[in-house]
Amino acid sequence: PDEQFDPDPKKKTLVVLGTGWGSVALLKKLDTSNYNVVVISPRNYFLFTPLLPSCTTGNIEHRSIMEPVRQILRHKKASVKFYEAEATKIDAENKVITITDNSEVQGATATTQVPYDMLVIGVGAENATFGIPGVREHSCFLKEIPDAQAIRTKIMDCVESAAFKDQPEDEVSRLLHMVVVGGGPTGVEFAGELRDFFDEDISKLVPEIAPKFKVTLIEALPNVLPMFSKQLIDYTEKTFKEEQIEIKTKAMVKKVTDKTVEAEVTGADGKKEIIVIPYGLLVWATGNAVRPVVKDLLSQIPAQKDSRRGLAVNEYLVVQGTRDIWAVGDCAVAGYAPTAQVASQEGAFLARLFNNMAHTEELETQIRELSTGLNLKPGNAAEAATQIESAERQLRRIKDVKPFHYSHQGSLAYIGSERAVADVAWFNGNLASGGKLTYLFWRSAYLSMCFSTRNRVLVALDWVKGKVYGRDVSRL
Ligand code: FAD
Ligand code: NAD
């Protein structure tokens, strides 16, 4: 067959949904010559999410943390098909996926179907809003590149409008009040980046508005960063106080309007009251929700009727109650936190599993052929028997695939003013540290984790550029 267009009928078709942490880790290690590999994602690039908060202020330019998927696939042994589309329906019964091109430009075909023999779902998650009124209409999220661009534009729009001639004072205060909802790492890192932007650049370029600039972080739980140790939570809260970022804990946002946030605050005496907070920019970072295509699949599988947070998978990442479907990353529920670390280890595990499966089939065929030969040519029996034995030994070894095991390397978060917090695995224990040295560790760790050398060079140049010239405050 023409490899460019037709799948090889001798190979199974492996469809991979998504180009995020899970799917790309799989693609990186997969021997693509064993399967007809098809990748489907509405995003034709991989995004290094840990540095996304830095893009909201221009500390890092967004293209520095994007890697085109076609560039990634170009280096694979056998060609891989990529379709820029969203999977809108997975028909697990007939093994067919419906895909739709939802981008701005579409050809005559914008919806079609892709059959699969094996499917890996790595579609990630969407933003949780808990159905709170006004959130979708009025707030910015922080998950994808366009989100970071929208925030960057809006920060400067608020600043320029606040500096507008004859602006009433209370309106200046509102416009310069940047509210972040959600005290997980996304909200905390964004608040830190925002404060840096203001202190290092905006206050120097637009000094007349400086006294009014304010950042508030709203969190429903009693403290921020619940996944970090108590010592680092305290350190973060102390640092935020110094940076004049106000943290409102035990405050649950219930409603959002175009200019205000309404939150129910529980006081020390246990009494609840509603407070109304005016804002200029609102960033909503309250975690993950299940994507519609995953919800739809869940509804097709009786074994998943109790799954609320995503696709329940077994220890080999097989979606429970299905055949030939695996799930990785934020859309899979395997008992781990929805992090890039987990997603990438899951993707790499599946690559090993699939490479093994292909090798197993190859060995089984070899054994079958040798056994037939054994019957036909007695002269070669001894040699064939040795080969069979060796193939069987190999087969036993590779068939013994251990289940997925997650190895936690630690948690890292930037908290502003060149400080970071880290809970890292250290020999057999845990090392908790916070401060400027940790910040240097944070920078070097993220730099080394960037997808490609090109990304690393671009990120490092952005950091140097920011130090020398300051951030670019042009509003696009
Ligand atoms: P994603 O990386 O989100 O990828 C999902 C992919 O699926 C995307 O390519 C998307 O376009 C595609 N897709 C979506 N819908 C469809 C569809 N219908 N059909 C086909 N494809 C689809 N984790 C850490 O461990 N450390 C960090 O420092 C860290 N920092 C973060 C910072 C931010 C701002 C955010 C938002 C997250 C951060 N995370 C971090 C979490 C981490 O990014 C996620 O856990 C990780 O991206 C999950 O990987 P994934 O492959 O499941 O999903
Ligand atoms: P999260 O789920 O970690 O935190 C969301 C927070 O929002 C929670 O603390 C929750 O109590 C709060 N919240 C929910 N509803 C609220 C409401 N109505 N009002 C006020 N507060 C509300 O979400 P995240 O920070 O986006 O992180 C998502 C995942 O990505 C996590 O697994 C996280 O570990 C990972 N991540 C890691 C890093 C890092 O390691 N540096 C950075 C970003 C994200």
Side-chain angles (χ1 to χ4, degrees), residues 130 132 181-187 189 218-221 226-227 251-253 284-288 337-339 412-413 446:
F130 309 102
I132 296 168
V181 182
T186 302
E189 290 191 323
I218 304 180
E219 167 56 51
L221 298 174
M227 66 289 291
M252 168 88 80
V253 173
W284 192 266
T286 63
N288 292 345
T339 66
L412 266 174
Y446 280 8

Side-chain angles (χ1 to χ4, degrees), residues 278-345:
Y279 72 85
L281 169 78
L282 174 64
V283 172
W284 192 266
T286 63
N288 292 345
V290 180
R291 286 202 191 275
V293 67
V294 172
K295 260 191 210 153
D296 178 77
L297 179 61
L298 288 173
S299 71
Q300 295 172 41
I301 312 165
Q304 299 274 348
K305 72 175 190 326
D306 296 325
S307 305
R308 296 279 169 274
R309 288 182 298 117
L311 296 155
V313 293
N314 71 10
E315 71 274 32
Y316 289 91
L317 308 181
V318 175
V319 175
Q320 285 174 2
T322 69
R323 262 182 316 113
D324 304 322
I325 305 183
W326 291 259
V328 289
D330 287 3
C331 66
V333 179
Y336 309 107
T339 66
Q341 247 185 98
V342 170
S344 61
Q345 288 184 28

Side-chain angles (χ1 to χ4, degrees), residues 17-23 40-43 45-47 49-53 85-88 122-125 142-144 186 189 288 291 293 328-331 337-343 412 446:
L17 301 184
T19 46
W21 279 97
S23 302
I40 297 163
S41 175
R43 206 175 74 187
Y45 55 89
F46 166 76
L47 168 62
T49 48
L51 289 177
L52 189 62
E86 221 174 277
T88 45
V123 297
L142 183 48
K143 202 164 192 44
E144 299 287 346
T186 302
E189 290 191 323
N288 292 345
R291 286 202 191 275
V293 67
V328 289
D330 287 3
C331 66
T339 66
Q341 247 185 98
V342 170
L412 266 174
Y446 280 8

